[in-house]
Amino acid sequence: MASVTSATPPGAAGELTAGLRGFREVQRLAYACAEAVAAQLKPGVTERAAARMQREWLRERGVRDWFHLPFAWFGDRTAFVNFRVPLQFFPTHRELEPGMAFILDMAPIHNGYTADIGYSGCLGLNPVHDRLLADLEAHRELILREVRERRPLREIYADVDRLMVRQGYANRHRAYPFGVIAHKVDRVRQRRWSPTLFGFGTRSLRGLASDALHGHRDGWSPLWSPYRFSDHPPQPGLWAVEPHLGFRGTGAKFEEILVVTDSKDPQESAFWLDDDLPHVRRRQEEKAA
Amino acid sequence: MSGAGAGTSAEAEAEAGAGAAAGLAGARERWVRTGGIELCVAELGDPAQPTVLLVHGYPDSKEVWSEVARGLADRFHVVLYDVRGCGRSTAPQPLRGGFTLEKLTDDFLAVADAVSPDHPVHLVGHDWGSVQGWEFATVRRTEGRIATFTSMSGPSLDHFGHWIKKRTVRPTPRRAAQLLNQSAKSWYVYMLHTPVLPELAWKGPLGKRWPKILQRVEKVPGGDYPTASLPTDAAHGAWLYRDNVLPRLRRPRADAYAHCPVQLITPTGDAFLSPRLYDDLEQWAPHLVRRTLPAKHWVPRTRPDQLVSWIGEFITAKEEGDPARQVVANGAYADRFGGQLVLVTGAAGGIGRATAFAFAEAGARVIAVDRDAEGAARTAEMSRLIGAPQAWAEVVDVSDETAMEKLADKVHAEYGTVDVLVNNAGIGLSGSFLQTGTEDWKKVLDVNLWGVIHGCRIFGRRMADRGQGGHIVNTASAAAFQPSKLLPAYSTSKAAVLMLSECLRAELAGQGIGVSAICPGLVNTGITSTARFTGVSADEEKRRQARAARLYGLRNYPPEKVADAILRAVVRNQAVVPVTPEARGAHLLSRFAPRVLRALARFEPRL
C-alpha cells in the first residue's frame, strides 16, 4: 500500500518539468494563504471576511486572475446543509464560533498556472471534524490507486461514494455543479484584464469549455462526475480532486492536483503533484505520534 | 435559623430505624428538632458521598421515594424526611399558619445542617416537595446550602403567580387557553381550600380508596406505598395549600431567581400540571436542564430508574465541576432521550445507522446491532462522537433466536433494560410469486418477520417486566399496504410486521409501552444493492440491483429523514407512520381507494 500511495512523482521532486513546478508553486502559495488566513480566524469572523482575507493575501502576492474566487464555509455550511441553489456556495454573514468547522476554498492563477485547493480546519476542539479529516486519507489513497489502474472515472466515483457510505458519511461533492469530484485545470494565458463571472474566472471557464468541446468529440470530459459522460479512463492532464465528506452538520474536504500522464509505468501514470501539504503533513505527524 | 434549629435530638438507631421505616430497608433513622417540631429523617448510603435530599409531595410521606432512594444509595448519601405533619414527623400546633413556606424552609435548613453540615446538598423535590424546593432554591438565606435542585411536578408558587398574571393581563387566545387548561387541572386546589370537608374525606372514604385509585388511574404499582399514615398526612397537608397558595399567587415575589443549577423533569401526562407552566422558566433559572418523561404524575413510583439516572447524571456533572464534556448532545428531543438506552438492529447502514445517530445526538446510550461487525462498530464509534454518552456494537443475526436471547441477557446484565427498541434489520427480495422458491421465502421471513418477532418478544418482555414503560419501533415498509407483483415475499413480511406492531401496541398500551410501525417508502439506502432478485441469472440480478440502486438514488430520499420520523413517532407515540410522500399517498389510498392500489400492483416497472 505504501508504495501505491506514496505520491512521489517519477524521480525526485526536482525532476518535475518546469510546467509542473509552476503548478506546484501556485498550489503551495494557495495552501500558504489558507494556513495564514486560518491562523487569523477567531470567533465572530464572518465567511465574507474570511473570503476577503484570502483574496487580499493572494492579491498582495501577485495573483490577478482566478479559476474561482475564494470561498469560505463555516459550521453546518461545511456540510452544505440545506444547499439547494448554487448561490448558496458564496460566503455569507455566518459568524465563526468556538468548536466550529470551517473550509477555505480558493483557486488562484499565478503566472498563468492554476491551483484549486480546499482547506479544512476548526476553531478549537471538534472530535467529529478530526475524525472526518482522518477518514479522508482513505479516499486520497483510493483515488490514486484506482486512477493508476486506469479504471473508468465514473467507477472510481462510485467506489469513493461507496467508501463514504461505509464510513457513515454523506457525499457532499454531490452538491457541487454537476456533482463533480474533480475537474481539469490548465494553464491560462495572462491578460491585463481578467473578469469573473459568478465568481469564476472567465478565462478558465473558457478553457474548461473548450476542453469540454474537444473532449466531447473524443469521448471524454474535463468534469469528473457520476454521470455517463465520465465513463472513460482518466484523461492525461492535471485534475483538481476534491472529495468532500459530510456528517450531520460537519463537513471536511481536501482539494489538490492529481497529475495523470500517459506513461505505461503505473507509478508515473498518476501521482499527487505535491506531498508537502497541510492535510498530508497532519496525517504523517499523527502517524509518527 | 440554621443554628438554632439544628439540635438533633435523636440518636441514629440503625436497627430500630430500619425496622420502623416501612419501605426503606437499611435506612438509618433519626429525629431533627426544629421550631417545636420533630422531623423524622432517614439516611441511606455512605455519608462521605455527596448528599441528596429528597422531599416528598402531597399527600405522600417520604416512602414515595423508596425506589429512587435505593437506586441512588450506592453512589450518594441519600437523605429523606417526612415533611412536618406527615408520616412520622410531628404536626405544628395550631395547624393554621404552621405550614408556611418560611417554616418549611426552616425545616429544610435544620435537616440539611444535621445531615450535611459542611457541604451543600443536592435537592430533589416532587409535587409539593418541588414547590418547597423552589422556595429553598430561590430565597437568600439558603444560598450556599444547595448544590443543585431537581424539580418534578411542582412549580414555584411565585413563578406560577407571574405566569397567571402574564396571561390575565394580556390574554391572547393561546394564553387564555393555557390559563383555562391549567385552571381546570387545578380543581383539587379549590377543593382543598374548603374547610373541614377535605379532612373528612381523607379520614373517611377517600383515604381508604386512595391506594386503589392510584393503581387504577395513575398506574402506580402497589407495595409499600402509600403508608398507613396517609389519611392524617393528607388532612394535615391541606394546610400547605391554605397557608401558601392564595398569598403567593396574589403577591408573587419578584426576585425568585434560582441560585443553583436546576434540572426540570416534566412528566408529559401529568393530570395536575400543564407542561406549559414551565415555558418561561429559563428567565428564573439560567442554565436550566430540561427533561421530559412520558408518564403521569407519580414518577417517583412509576419511573424510578429514569429518575435515578437523570438525578445521578446531573449531580455528578456538578460534583465533578462541570467537566467540559467534549460532546454535549443538542439534537432534537435531547430532553426526552438523554441517558436512555436505545437498541437499533440493522445499524450498520441505511435507516438503522441514521436512527442510531439521531438517538446519539439526543444523548441516548446506543447499542448498534448488525450482522456486519465492522459497520456496527463504526456506527457505535461515530455515535459517541456526536453525543451518545456510551455506545456499543453487537454482532447478531436477528433471525437467530438463541443469539438474540444471549444478546438480551448480555444487554440486561451490562447496560440495563432497553428503553427504546428499534427493530429495523431487514432484507429485500424482488421477483414474482411463482419464481420465489421456498428458500427465498424462508430467508425473507426469517429476517424481516422473525427478526422483529424475536426482538419484540425477547426485549419487549424485559421492558414489560420492569414495568417502567418504554417504546418499540418496528420498521415495516410502504410495501406493507401497497401490493405489488414485484415484491410478494417482501410485502408479505412487511405487512405481517405492520399487523404485529398494531396488535402488540394494543397489548402493551396498559403498561406504558408504545409500539410504532414505520413505513418509509423509497429511501436511498443500501438495501437495493443487496436485494435478491429471483428467477434471473446472476448477471441480470447484479444489473437490476444497480438499476434499483440508481432509481432509489435518483429519488434520493435520505435515511436521516426517516430517523427523524422515528424519533418523532416515539415522542408522540404514533401507531403507523408512513414517511415519504409516496408512502403517505399509498397509505391514504389503501384506506379510501384500495382498488387503485390493486390496479397499480399489476404495473411492472422496467428494471
Side-chain angles (χ1 to χ4, degrees):
Chain A
M1 180 71 78
S3 65
V4 180
T5 56
S6 106
T8 323
E15 288 176 32
L16 283 181
T17 60
L20 286 183
R21 258 202 308 278
F23 281 107
R24 197 176 60 182
E25 264 157 33
V26 63
Q27 180 167 290
R28 283 190 177 170
L29 180 73
Y31 266 108
C33 167
E35 285 188 308
V37 169
Q40 292 174 48
L41 292 181
K42 51 180 183 283
V45 173
T46 63
E47 289 180 352
R48 286 190 180 203
R52 193 169 49 242
M53 281 151 80
Q54 298 173 53
R55 221 165 44 224
E56 282 165 4
W57 197 96
L58 288 167
R59 275 242 166 84
E60 282 166 19
R61 282 153 188 84
V63 171
R64 291 289 171 270
D65 195 4
W66 306 89
F67 181 84
H68 66 71
L69 288 170
F71 292 119
W73 301 302
F74 293 167
D76 64 3
R77 283 176 45 84
T78 56
F80 295 167
V81 171
N82 297 328
F83 272 37
R84 300 256 184 279
V85 292
L87 282 178
Q88 288 170 309
F89 282 95
F90 290 103
T92 64
H93 290 293
R94 167 74 63 90
E95 288 182 5
L96 196 60
E97 291 166 22
M100 235 185 204
F102 61 82
I103 294 178
L104 307 177
D105 190 308
M106 70 198 92
I109 297 174
H110 192 46
N111 298 333
Y113 297 101
T114 313
D116 193 349
I117 66 134
Y119 179 92
S120 295
C122 58
L123 198 65
L125 281 177
N126 187 334
V128 174
H129 185 259
D130 289 349
R131 176 29 71 98
L132 284 161
L133 277 189
D135 285 332
L136 270 172
E137 178 174 19
H139 293 278
R140 195 169 184 263
E141 289 169 1
L142 176 105
I143 290 165
L144 182 63
R145 188 172 65 243
E146 298 202 347
V147 167
R148 283 179 175 171
E149 288 166 7
R150 287 293 185 260
R151 303 265 311 274
L153 293 180
R154 194 183 179 194
E155 280 179 25
I156 304 178
Y157 190 105
D159 285 345
V160 170
D161 206 53
R162 261 194 290 276
L163 178 57
M164 286 183 182
V165 169
R166 220 168 37 242
Q167 289 175 331
Y169 300 130
N171 169 348
R172 292 324 297 155
H173 50 259
R174 194 139 212 159
Y176 288 76
F178 304 103
V180 297
I181 189 176
H183 57 84
K184 277 194 75 176
V185 290
D186 229 323
R187 295 200 59 164
V188 175
R189 190 172 300 162
Q190 279 200 298
R191 290 279 160 82
R192 190 166 308 166
W193 189 56
S194 43
T196 56
L197 192 65
F198 296 114
F200 284 85
T202 45
R203 234 167 284 285
S204 307
L205 282 182
R206 236 172 63 191
L208 214 54
S210 88
D211 259 2
L213 198 69
H214 288 118
H216 185 69
R217 282 188 216 137
D218 306 337
W220 62 272
S221 156
L223 298 178
W224 181 347
S225 79
Y227 305 115
R228 197 165 298 143
F229 61 74
S230 286
D231 214 352
H232 59 82
Q235 180 70 18
L238 273 65
W239 292 81
V241 186
E242 47 185 336
H244 190 154
L245 305 178
F247 183 57
R248 308 192 81 85
T250 309
K253 70 180 276 192
F254 68 78
E255 182 167 11
E256 57 174 295
I257 290 177
L258 178 73
V259 184
V260 180
T261 66
D262 44 16
S263 163
K264 290 279 176 269
D265 178 73
Q267 296 282 334
E268 291 176 23
S269 67
F271 53 90
W272 295 108
L273 178 63
D274 192 355
D275 255 351
D276 193 22
L277 300 178
H279 54 275
V280 186
R281 278 200 303 270
R282 181 191 161 99
R283 267 168 230 142
Q284 283 159 352
E285 281 158 17
E286 269 167 14
K287 269 183 197 153
Chain B
M1 177 65 230
S2 55
T8 59
S9 74
E11 318 69 76
E13 296 164 285
E15 290 89 54
L24 283 170
R28 306 176 292 277
E29 213 167 86
R30 58 165 143 174
W31 271 262
V32 172
R33 184 186 302 250
T34 159
I37 304 264
E38 296 229 3
L39 296 173
C40 175
V41 179
E43 291 173 71
L44 292 107
D46 179 4
Q49 296 298 321
T51 303
V52 187
L53 189 60
L54 306 169
V55 188
H56 68 80
Y58 177 87
D60 300 322
S61 58
K62 63 181 179 307
E63 280 70 24
V64 75
W65 288 116
S66 52
E67 302 278 325
V68 176
R70 262 196 288 277
L72 289 169
D74 55 351
R75 280 180 289 166
F76 304 106
H77 174 217
V78 182
V79 180
L80 316 93
Y81 69 96
D82 284 322
V83 172
R84 51 169 62 203
C86 297
R88 307 210 294 145
S89 298
T90 55
Q93 279 303 335
L95 291 169
R96 179 189 296 273
F99 286 86
T100 56
L101 285 169
E102 290 74 23
K103 289 190 175 160
L104 295 166
T105 311
D106 295 344
D107 291 359
F108 160 74
L109 282 170
V111 173
D113 286 344
V115 296
S116 173
D118 306 325
H119 296 287
V121 299
H122 296 276
L123 181 65
V124 180
H126 172 248
D127 188 87
W128 255 96
S130 169
V131 176
Q132 295 181 48
W134 275 111
E135 174 78 4
F136 309 159
T138 53
V139 292
R140 290 298 130 220
R141 61 189 173 125
T142 54
E143 222 164 317
R145 295 298 295 133
I146 304 174
T148 66
F149 172 41
T150 298
S151 156
M152 49 194 96
S153 294
S156 154
L157 291 182
D158 302 302
H159 302 167
F160 194 10
H162 288 295
W163 187 88
I164 293 174
K165 240 178 212 169
K166 191 170 164 188
R167 278 155 185 78
T168 40
V169 171
R170 289 228 180 97
T172 62
R174 173 177 297 175
R175 284 175 172 178
Q178 289 175 353
L179 198 60
L180 282 175
N181 179 285
Q182 182 54 48
S183 321
K185 286 184 178 212
S186 296
W187 57 270
Y188 64 102
V189 180
Y190 321 133
M191 304 285 283
L192 282 164
H193 277 83
T194 54
V196 193
L197 280 180
E199 278 88 341
L200 286 178
W202 279 113
K203 288 188 172 155
L206 185 58
K208 252 186 228 116
R209 302 237 171 88
W210 188 246
K212 282 253 161 61
I213 295 175
L214 276 188
Q215 272 181 43
R216 217 183 37 233
V217 180
E218 283 278 327
K219 304 265 188 294
V220 171
D224 53 6
Y225 164 89
T227 55
S229 60
L230 170 76
T232 19
D233 296 350
H236 288 159
W239 289 98
L240 287 169
Y241 293 88
R242 295 170 187 160
D243 278 350
N244 297 303
V245 172
L246 277 180
R248 286 300 178 109
L249 293 192
R250 252 188 231 137
R251 272 183 301 281
R253 281 161 49 215
D255 62 342
Y257 297 100
H259 46 66
C260 62
V262 180
Q263 169 172 244
L264 176 78
I265 299 177
T266 316
T268 49
D270 198 318
F272 310 109
L273 296 161
S274 153
R276 296 277 76 79
L277 275 182
Y278 308 108
D279 278 356
D280 317 321
L281 201 55
E282 267 86 359
Q283 100 184 57
W284 300 106
H287 306 298
L288 180 75
V289 175
R290 285 178 184 266
R291 305 285 188 193
T292 51
L293 197 53
K296 298 193 173 183
H297 182 74
W298 264 275
V299 280
R301 299 306 297 181
T302 55
R303 298 286 185 272
D305 287 4
Q306 185 64 72
L307 296 192
V308 167
S309 143
W310 280 340
I311 295 169
E313 195 183 312
F314 191 59
I315 294 178
T316 312
K318 169 71 182 173
E319 284 293 319
E320 289 171 3
D322 280 327
R325 249 199 75 196
Q326 277 203 323
V327 184
V328 178
N330 53 7
Y333 309 119
D335 60 332
R336 171 74 163 71
F337 296 114
Q340 292 205 332
L341 186 62
V342 177
L343 186 141
V344 184
T345 68
I351 295 172
R353 180 177 257 173
T355 305
F357 288 159
F359 276 113
E361 276 186 337
R365 298 178 296 145
V366 175
I367 306 172
V369 176
D370 205 287
R371 279 188 304 188
D372 166 9
E374 199 188 319
R378 179 91 193 168
T379 304
E381 192 190 337
M382 304 293 286
S383 296
R384 279 192 294 270
L385 285 182
I386 53 174
Q390 291 161 305
W392 308 271
E394 295 289 345
V395 184
V396 175
D397 181 348
V398 292
S399 61
D400 181 346
E401 185 179 0
T402 337
M404 287 289 273
E405 285 276 7
K406 258 194 209 151
L407 172 70
D409 288 340
K410 183 180 172 191
V411 166
H412 197 71
E414 292 181 15
Y415 320 131
T417 309
V418 173
D419 293 300
V420 180
L421 167 71
V422 184
N423 287 306
N424 164 72
I427 53 173
L429 178 75
S430 175
S432 72
F433 175 79
L434 291 178
Q435 282 175 334
T436 305
T438 322
E439 273 310 303
D440 286 322
W441 270 99
K442 261 180 79 69
K443 218 186 245 168
V444 163
L445 291 180
D446 272 351
V447 177
N448 290 7
L449 178 57
W450 275 104
V452 175
I453 295 177
H454 293 324
C456 290
R457 217 171 50 79
I458 296 168
F459 288 98
R461 176 175 301 151
R462 284 172 167 80
M463 224 182 249
D465 285 349
R466 180 176 64 158
Q468 296 187 33
H471 204 101
I472 297 176
V473 179
N474 295 330
T475 307
S477 163
F481 41 74
Q482 184 176 8
S484 156
K485 68 191 238 185
L486 277 181
L487 302 160
Y490 181 78
S491 305
T492 305
S493 70
K494 291 301 188 182
V497 168
L498 181 59
M499 182 49 83
L500 161 71
S501 308
E502 292 190 272
C503 295
L504 193 62
R505 182 180 171 88
E507 181 174 334
L508 295 180
Q511 304 180 52
I513 300 175
V515 180
S516 305
I518 308 291
C519 306
L522 297 181
V523 177
N524 190 11
T525 70
I527 197 169
T528 43
S529 38
T530 52
R532 279 267 295 125
F533 287 79
T534 59
V536 293
S537 67
D539 279 350
E540 175 64 11
E541 182 175 35
K542 207 166 253 165
R543 199 190 65 75
R544 290 193 182 188
Q545 283 172 349
R547 173 106 179 123
R550 211 177 95 74
L551 282 177
Y552 276 56
L554 282 176
R555 170 72 185 84
N556 202 19
Y557 195 88
E560 285 76 19
K561 282 197 184 176
V562 184
D564 293 344
I566 288 178
L567 266 70
R568 201 165 45 241
V570 177
V571 170
R572 298 185 186 165
N573 191 16
Q574 291 166 307
V576 181
V577 184
V579 184
T580 60
E582 60 269 19
R584 273 180 285 161
H587 190 234
L588 209 66
L589 284 178
S590 74
R591 289 196 282 176
F592 299 110
R595 286 176 65 173
V596 175
L597 282 189
R598 273 180 228 128
L600 280 173
R602 301 177 179 198
F603 173 71
E604 184 172 343
R606 271 184 38 225
L607 272 181

